[in-house]
Amino acid sequence: MEEFFTSTVQTTFSIAVAAYLLVRMETRMSELTKAINELQAGLRKCIECDFYKTERK
C-alpha cells in the first residue's frame, strides 16, 4: 500500500509540474506571437515606405 501511495504522489507531482510549465509556456508563446506580428507589420510599413521613396526618384 505504501508503494502505491509513493508512486501516486510522484506521478501527481510530475503531472502538476508539467501542467504549470505548459501554462507558463503558453503565456510566453502568446506574447512572442504578438511581438512577431507587430514586428512583421512594422517591417511591412518600412518596406512600403522605402519602395515608394525609391519609386519617386
Side-chain angles (χ1 to χ4, degrees):
M1 185 68 176
E2 184 179 329
E3 191 175 305
F4 173 74
F5 179 73
T6 303
S7 175
T8 303
V9 168
Q10 288 177 348
T11 303
T12 304
F13 178 75
S14 298
I15 292 171
V17 169
Y20 171 74
L21 292 174
L22 284 172
V23 168
R24 286 196 57 187
M25 185 69 72
E26 182 181 1
T27 302
R28 289 183 184 233
M29 291 294 287
S30 296
E31 291 172 359
L32 285 172
T33 301
K34 181 181 175 185
I36 289 170
N37 289 335
E38 290 174 358
L39 178 61
Q40 184 180 22
L43 287 173
R44 281 188 180 148
K45 286 181 182 179
C46 183
I47 289 170
E48 289 173 2
C49 181
D50 286 344
F51 176 75
Y52 288 123
K53 283 181 183 177
T54 56
E55 189 176 89
R56 290 182 182 174
K57 288 183 179 179

